[in-house]
Amino acid sequence: MKKTLTALTLSLGLILPFSTFAKNNVVVVATGGTIAGAGASSTNSATYTAAKVPVDDLLNAVPQIQNLANVTGVQALQVASESITDKELLAIARKVNELVKKPEVNGVVITHGTDTLEETAYFLSLTVHTDKPIVVVGSMRPPSALSADGPLNLYSAVALAAADDAKGKGVFVLMNDDIFAARDVTKTINIHTNAFSSQWGSLVEGKPYLFRNVAKRFNNASEFNIENIKGDTLPLVQIVYGSGNMLPDAYTAYTAYAKAGAKAIIHAGTGNGSVAKNIVPTLTELQKQGVQIIRSSRVPQGFVLRNAEQPDDKYNWVVAHDLNPQKAKLLAALALTKTKDAKDAKEMQRIFWEY
Ligand code: ASP
């Protein structure tokens, strides 16, 4: 916060210095999700309709946020996050970009459904050039439920977005007193309030405690920029989930139509992103046709090691390193907005090393 020293002159002639705090300006961009949901009764913590409550009601339910910052709200969307397509994703990024470009805005909070929250947060970290704090927040219980987690999550998200300490550190996810980095966070539990996990930082009683930095490129250091992306769609990338007894048909179905088909496939492989031997010929053929094959893993921890169990150099495949399949999908789509030659697996791999 901006500290300004002022002085009070009392009638006795004494001058008493004291500090006042000019509050930062934070805009809350509401997009829907459970944090704006409504259930039939207060005991419905998991049965409810997402995306019902308007942004003004969300803000009015937590009047304490006005002590942290001057908070205003914008209703960008009102959707459950599993229904977010490129159109909504790009609209959120454009809205956030427009806000952070305003000198009077110091931070932005996005209220969002938790299902694809990590994807939007990562996309914002790749495409919005700013050092202002951007915080994506959700909740696991709707506002109508007993012990709803949304109000405190929103309070903490505003505290983080208003904190000067949070500047230049990228896009955050705030849930359940935890501060997460957009690139690293993933939803690991789909029913409890501690749905996301990592040890990146904590937000306690309105104060952020940050313990980590992001090692990869983000925000101002990103080569992608929402301002250079035109239209309502990104190049099509799809995910195929690996398991035993796989058929190659999903890969060919996604890529079947030369123009409309997927330009890259994220193979969410078993173990180290492994590819079953009966699938290899299909992937090799698709790669030759210019479809990027990117090996990720269905295993939540660890990372896919290039040329370890699979000869990536021989087949011209790309590895997603530690990005989960859904984040790899977004990075591949952005990469395809730039790489002129979709067949250039080396350039795609460079991007996967750097982000
Ligand atoms: N399906 C909801 C959504 O992502 C779940 C949530 O917000 O927790 O919008």
Side-chain angles (χ1 to χ4, degrees):
M1 278 179 215
K2 285 172 236 116
K3 207 178 189 180
T4 46
L5 262 188
T6 56
L8 223 202
T9 310
L10 298 180
S11 54
L12 290 173
L14 292 171
I15 296 180
L16 295 180
F18 68 95
S19 301
T20 58
F21 293 90
K23 284 185 282 181
N24 276 338
N25 300 318
V26 170
V27 183
V28 175
V29 178
T31 71
T34 297
I35 195 165
S41 88
S42 61
T43 51
N44 285 126
S45 60
T47 309
Y48 56 83
T49 309
K52 286 278 173 202
V53 181
V55 64
D56 287 346
D57 292 5
L58 295 181
L59 302 188
N60 290 337
V62 197
Q64 300 88 337
I65 54 176
Q66 300 296 345
N67 301 330
L68 300 167
N70 302 311
V71 185
T72 50
V74 182
Q75 190 76 53
L77 303 169
Q78 190 63 293
V79 293
S81 71
E82 63 272 21
S83 299
I84 287 181
T85 66
D86 287 351
K87 187 171 175 222
E88 288 81 24
L89 183 68
L90 290 163
I92 296 170
R94 286 177 183 134
K95 174 51 77 183
V96 173
N97 187 56
E98 178 194 313
L99 289 169
V100 294
K101 293 283 174 293
K102 294 186 180 181
E104 68 274 20
V105 173
N106 305 105
V108 176
V109 168
I110 300 104
T111 58
H112 198 289
T114 61
D115 286 0
T116 62
L117 187 146
E118 68 199 65
E119 286 153 76
T120 297
Y122 184 49
F123 190 78
L124 293 173
S125 81
L126 293 173
T127 60
V128 179
H129 286 224
T130 185
D131 64 356
K132 294 181 183 175
I134 298 173
V135 185
V136 192
V137 63
S139 78
M140 294 303 289
R141 297 178 184 144
S144 49
L146 282 174
S147 287
D149 51 333
L152 181 55
N153 284 353
L154 181 59
Y155 178 84
S156 299
V158 169
L160 185 57
D164 290 335
D165 281 0
K167 275 180 80 174
K169 303 219 165 58
V171 175
F172 303 99
V173 169
L174 189 299
M175 289 286 294
N176 205 37
D177 293 347
D178 279 315
I179 299 169
F180 304 106
R183 185 182 185 279
D184 298 338
V185 71
T186 192
K187 187 176 184 178
T188 53
I189 303 173
N190 64 3
I191 204 95
H192 296 155
T193 52
N194 60 337
F196 293 76
S197 60
S198 95
Q199 291 176 341
W200 215 71
S202 291
L203 196 311
V204 182
E205 295 183 352
K207 186 169 168 29
Y209 299 86
L210 296 167
F211 306 117
R212 307 269 189 277
N213 279 326
V214 175
K216 304 280 185 165
R217 294 171 67 177
F218 59 91
N219 293 106
N220 283 333
S222 174
E223 70 197 82
F224 310 108
N225 190 332
I226 188 65
E227 291 174 14
N228 301 331
I229 300 170
K230 309 286 170 234
D232 283 344
T233 55
L234 293 167
L236 189 65
V237 180
Q238 291 291 297
I239 300 169
V240 179
Y241 195 89
S243 66
N245 196 36
M246 282 194 77
L247 299 174
D249 305 53
Y251 302 94
T252 44
Y254 277 140
T255 52
Y257 311 101
K259 279 211 171 113
K263 306 287 178 290
I265 292 284
I266 308 298
H267 169 77
T270 53
N272 195 340
S274 300
V275 181
K277 63 175 188 280
N278 67 312
I279 303 295
V280 171
T282 304
L283 297 196
T284 306
E285 183 49 35
L286 288 175
Q287 210 287 334
K288 278 189 196 138
Q289 289 171 21
V291 177
Q292 290 286 356
I293 305 300
I294 298 159
R295 294 196 305 112
S296 179
S297 176
R298 68 178 195 179
V299 179
Q301 307 283 327
F303 67 99
V304 175
L305 201 55
R306 193 172 167 86
N307 293 320
E309 277 192 88
Q310 312 281 311
D312 295 295
D313 285 352
K314 178 173 158 200
Y315 297 139
N316 243 348
W317 293 344
V318 174
V319 297
H321 218 199
D322 66 330
L323 285 181
N324 66 23
Q326 56 272 32
K327 285 183 181 165
K329 177 178 156 178
L330 285 175
L331 182 57
L334 280 174
L336 288 167
T337 64
K338 295 205 82 178
T339 50
K340 285 190 192 73
D341 184 1
K343 280 190 198 162
D344 193 346
K346 276 207 177 67
E347 174 63 359
M348 183 66 91
Q349 187 62 75
R350 174 196 66 80
I351 287 169
F352 270 87
W353 293 145
E354 292 184 12
Y355 291 86

